[in-house]
Amino acid sequence: MLDPSVLNELKAIVGPDNVESSAMDRLAYSYDATPNLQAMPDAVVSPRSTEEVSKVLALCNRRRIPVVPRGSGTNLCGGTTPLSGGIVLLFRHMNRILEIDEQNLTATVQAGVITLDLIREVERRGLFYPPDPSSMKISTIGGNLNENSGGLRGLKYGVTRDYVLGLEIVLPSGDIIRTGGKLAKDVAGYDLTRLFVGSEGTLGVITQAILKLIPMPESKKTMLALYGSLEDAAASVSAIIAARIIPATLEFLDRPTLEVVEQFAQIGLPTDAQAVLLIEQDGPPEVVDRDLARMAEICRGHRALSVRVARDENEADGLRAARRSALSALARLAPTTILEDATVPRSQIAPMVRAIREIADKYGVRICTFGHAGDGNLHPTCVTDARDPDELHRVEQAFEEIFERAIELGGTITGEHGVGVVKAPYLEMKLGAAGIEAMKAVKQAFDPNGIMNPGKVFAKSSRKRVVVES
Amino acid sequence: MTALDKAKIQAEFKARMDEDELLNCMRCGFCLPSCPTYVQSGNREAYSPRGRIALMKAVADGRIEPDEDIERTLNECLGCRACEPVCPSGVRYGHLLEEARDIINRNKKYSLPARAVRSLVFKHLFPHPKRMRRMTALLGVYQRTGLARLVRKTKLLNLLPQPLAAMERALPQAPTLREMSRPHAPVRARGTARATVGFFSGCLMDTMFRETNIATMKLLEKAGCNIVVPGTQNCCGALHGHAGEKSGAVELAKRNIEAFESADVDYIVTNAGGCGAYLADYGHLLRDDPAWAGRAASFSAKIKDISAILFELGFHESGLRLPPQVVTYQDSCHLRNVQRTSEQPRKLLRAIEGVDYREMEQADRCCGSAGIYNLVHADLSMKFLDDKMARVRETQATTIVTANPGCLLQMKLGVEREGLSGRVRVVHIADFLLEAMDNRQDASGSGGV
Ligand SMILES: Cc1cc2nc3c(=O)[nH]c(=O)nc-3n(C[C@H](O)[C@H](O)[C@H](O)COP(=O)(O)OP(=O)(O)OC[C@H]3O[C@@H](n4cnc5c(N)ncnc54)[C@H](O)[C@@H]3O)c2cc1C
Ligand code: SF4
Ligand code: SF4
């Protein structure tokens, strides 16, 4: 519990209405989108400005109170679960788009801006902000930056990291620093901007960001290819890239996912297909048409059972619906849905998907796989029931083996969801002991008292658990 | 003041809340931006669907006590169910909310006046059609005798909370007791019947909004329906269900099922979004009662809103016409989110010649009426209404069409508050369509579709 004097000080900084410590409010911030993970904070604080954030951090640093920055709590790695109590820091009042600079093609935003609000605003001006996590309707830019989120356009356009030009950051000491700026070129000193992207709230608090915008592509087309074998689908992915075509979107659904999607949405997908690729290209119409024709040819050359190009936006939407309803369809199958995030080089997609299937069979659990084939980012998704401890244990074992396999294939334990608590035990598999030490040294330099989001990224032990309850 | 019996509430949450449904929520947060109370609270999680589900689960799990804060957030929920269509997991939030409210309500000691009002409304008024008629007739007397004018002049109404006082002006002219007591005669479709429907006449709809009911039947008749209106039907029970009076709702449900079973119809048509949604949910309400579950489910399967059936029967192709006007449509939350009927009313309106239909931003957002929400949470309700009226203004509509009596009154209240009466009119879609139909007849001089 927080000392009453601390509560009063917090209230003096942000105003009494912006400090909540009732049981109800603490419970409402005890979880995020991570299954089966929950822990109570001591208070919830909603600052209104960078200066207030600075004062709050200085106070917490002095009193050694853990600080958990939180956007919308949609992360899937336990990133905002207050495992050690302390305060949850909300950006609900800091959600303004401060500037859209059409000369320099930048947007300056506060951390709490909802991703979709930004995307809508820039698109209204014919500009384009490509990072589009599936959660964009609700995720915040602060959350996107700290998880380095990606989306369906990642293959061609990159992830959040690739669109950050500068940051305003409050360090645990309360010091406010600014990194980067509206510059295309800037090599002065260490690249702190990049360091803070993906730092999962463990180094400091991001209060503002300057983001890069690009011109809106002129047109876009969508195509769906069905395959009788995983290899053929995977080979098509490699062949498309080898043919020097970078599609805007190259998404993948495996057969178990297909079956579930078809049951749910009834859009006429042949459930005897082993895999589906959803392919999109954008750009000048001539280029789009040419690329689409060539990709269709490549798919057919790799024994696609059928290749269908959407004639208009309506039909394109229908095809995209297949990919988009994957999560809904899976979520309705069982009470607990564990959406994971393993990434391999794209040449290894077929072996990885096959490995996931074998591992699921071995442990007797149900895992469907879909994801961003173009960048090798797969989402093996397990439908289970958190009330069955025996099954849950097998789920954990299966995921551990999946991550091991991903690393063996030259991949990583997360492509876009972050490490947080749930992946912390596996981080060493990826980085090695020296890698972990180097990262800890960075953490120590910025946050010597360890108040920033404690328990995240670095595992206390190599406790191997996907889901914990505390 | 009210007091909660926390221990008992906790035990009942554990025993009665549907654990599967609670677990179904994967906490993705997709429902947050659609929730009016979340937005209104300045994005506080405890006032969001995800937050409320987490709180219900925490109470059921014994993780926290069901205190007054929790009671407040559950009460402040509009029950608009805008969180349901956007949920990837298909969580049926409305069911969780109704169960939770019922548990709290049963273990709550209301103050004497509050208990008296609840008992009057839920036990002694709504379930009794006769009393509803008499009550409405009294209102009519008040409105007609000049008493109303006198009351207004003496500023007596200033004693009432502001929204109530304005509501008094927004109420329609009540029919007389004689008008209300006339039973609806069964109707045989002219020519070959295309469907046989039962009409659910409702309680408020059949008293205060009697004219709309008559209009609805005329539309059905034109569209080629045989219509039966069972005299033994009753209030749908939605008001009870939403306010945590489940046992009252169950009684009403059984009476309605019996009434329509004997009528043997293809569809049961409603013209009130809220009632329709509740009727369509009888299957759930009675699911644990072996003697009733099946009967309730087949009753629910027959429920259809007037817009849906008219559209199905091609009513929009019958040359509807009205004098030129700008029209916008305010969804009934339950019609849209529970009955999933939102396209049909719009298509009907767009089909009327002379109508310049303009969609308002966030037409799908609750207007703040929400059963008796506008009475018990007057301040909040007025905030939702003010937002709504700002959206209406943007469309420059002179006609606001609605599909539920609560929304109709609330929007009228909004028009009053904005000082737009005289310039903007609020009308139920059935009345509006009837005007368009009659106008067509005048124009063409011929009857029949
Ligand atoms: C259904 C679903 C689909 C998803 N799809 C995708 C997807 O396609 N791609 C993808 O990459 N992710 C996806 N995610 C994961 C998640 O939505 C993203 O990680 C998102 O960026 C989190 O945003 P948020 O605002 O909810 O952040 P939160 O979950 O609140 O926070 C995420 C992390 O950022 C930190 N943080 C937040 N704000 C700040 C700040 N201002 N300063 C410092 N630290 C901060 C937090 O401490 C935490 O560690 C999905 C999640 C769900 C539930
Ligand atoms: S959208 Fe559904 S699953 Fe997601 S948080 Fe809301 S209720 Fe839960
Ligand atoms: S019913 Fe309406 S007010 Fe209540 S939680 Fe759902 S969206 Fe929010």
Side-chain angles (χ1 to χ4, degrees), chain B residues 224-449:
Chain B
C225 298
N226 291 330
I227 314 169
V228 220
V229 191
T232 49
Q233 60 173 307
N234 225 300
C235 164
C236 66
L239 208 58
H240 298 72
H242 299 157
E245 298 276 347
K246 195 168 156 186
S247 56
V250 166
E251 274 320 301
L252 290 167
K254 291 181 180 169
R255 275 196 258 163
N256 283 327
I257 294 168
E258 274 172 346
F260 282 90
E261 268 172 349
S262 49
D264 186 30
V265 291
D266 306 327
Y267 301 115
I268 299 168
V269 177
T270 66
N271 58 7
C275 305
Y278 206 71
L279 296 169
D281 224 13
Y282 277 0
H284 176 79
L285 186 68
L286 294 171
R287 71 195 179 287
D288 294 328
D289 186 338
W292 285 89
R295 295 166 72 182
S298 50
F299 174 92
S300 288
K302 289 182 180 170
I303 299 298
K304 237 186 215 317
D305 185 71
I306 179 71
S307 311
I309 188 152
L310 287 180
F311 185 74
E312 243 174 64
L313 296 175
F315 190 74
H316 52 297
E317 286 154 6
S318 60
L320 303 169
R321 176 158 45 185
L322 277 175
Q325 53 192 304
V326 179
V327 175
T328 196
Y329 177 73
Q330 162 63 26
D331 281 291
S332 143
C333 294
H334 284 188
L335 183 57
R336 183 186 181 99
N337 301 324
V338 185
Q339 297 192 74
R340 308 287 163 108
T341 301
S342 61
E343 282 308 308
Q344 300 92 324
R346 288 174 166 80
K347 285 184 177 149
L348 288 165
L349 292 175
R350 283 181 196 277
I352 304 173
E353 196 188 317
V355 163
D356 175 1
Y357 181 78
R358 301 211 192 133
E359 184 68 24
M360 84 169 106
E361 292 259 337
Q362 302 190 344
D364 57 351
R365 182 134 308 174
C366 180
C367 61
S369 164
I372 50 168
Y373 195 91
N374 54 2
L375 301 181
V376 285
H377 298 288
D379 287 354
L380 267 173
S381 166
M382 289 309 113
K383 282 190 187 138
F384 294 123
L385 182 56
D386 291 346
D387 288 349
K388 180 59 63 184
M389 293 316 291
R391 304 292 186 184
V392 169
R393 268 184 192 276
E394 285 165 18
T395 65
Q396 297 179 319
T398 51
T399 309
I400 307 170
V401 178
T402 64
N404 184 57
C407 317
L408 183 86
L409 282 181
Q410 178 85 343
M411 296 306 289
K412 281 192 173 193
L413 179 59
V415 167
E416 277 280 335
R417 281 165 62 89
E418 294 269 303
L420 290 173
S421 27
R423 262 178 296 159
V424 176
R425 119 186 141 110
V426 186
V427 54
H428 189 285
I429 189 162
D431 293 312
F432 195 66
L433 289 173
L434 184 66
E435 280 172 31
M437 185 177 100
D438 289 346
N439 202 49
R440 175 215 53 185
Q441 280 180 332
D442 294 348
S444 65
S446 74
V449 174

Side-chain angles (χ1 to χ4, degrees), chain A residues 32-33 68-76 79-80 91 111 132-135 138-151 200-201 204-207 327 339 372 379 416-417 453, chain B residues 26-28 30:
Chain A
D32 48 40
V68 183
R70 176 180 168 117
S72 298
T74 68
N75 75 88
L76 294 159
T80 49
F91 299 91
D132 62 338
S134 307
S135 52
I138 181 68
S139 71
T140 64
I141 294 294
N144 291 174
L145 288 164
N146 277 279
E147 300 290 10
N148 193 3
S149 299
E200 304 189 28
V205 171
I206 295 176
T207 46
L327 176 65
L339 175 67
H372 320 300
H379 291 308
E416 55 181 24
H417 291 174
N453 212 356
Chain B
M26 55 175 174
R27 310 192 293 208
C28 64
F30 279 19

Side-chain angles (χ1 to χ4, degrees), chain A residues 20 22-25 27-29 31-40 70 72-74 90 92-93 95 114 134-135 137-138 264 327-329 331-332 334-337 385-387 469-470, chain B residues 19-20 23-34 38 41-48 50-52 54-55 57-58 63-65 67 69-70 72-73 84-91:
Chain A
E20 282 134 2
S22 70
M24 172 184 81
D25 282 301
L27 190 113
Y29 293 101
Y31 57 82
D32 48 40
T34 320
N36 228 24
L37 191 67
Q38 198 159 10
M40 294 281 259
R70 176 180 168 117
S72 298
T74 68
L90 291 182
R92 61 193 182 94
H93 299 314
N95 58 357
I114 301 292
S134 307
S135 52
K137 203 175 128 194
I138 181 68
F264 168 67
L327 176 65
S328 302
R332 282 163 205 243
T336 311
T337 312
D385 188 334
R387 286 166 296 189
E469 174 114 21
S470 76
Chain B
E19 197 189 5
D20 281 336
L23 273 169
N24 249 336
C25 170
M26 55 175 174
R27 310 192 293 208
C28 64
F30 279 19
C31 51
L32 269 56
S34 305
Y38 172 71
S41 73
N43 294 3
R44 279 177 66 190
E45 181 83 18
Y47 289 85
S48 77
R50 180 173 68 170
R52 291 187 176 110
L55 289 166
K57 181 165 187 305
R63 203 184 271 271
I64 58 169
E65 276 197 337
D67 61 9
D69 284 336
I70 292 176
R72 178 166 352 102
T73 177
E84 291 189 21
V86 293
C87 173
S89 245
V91 174

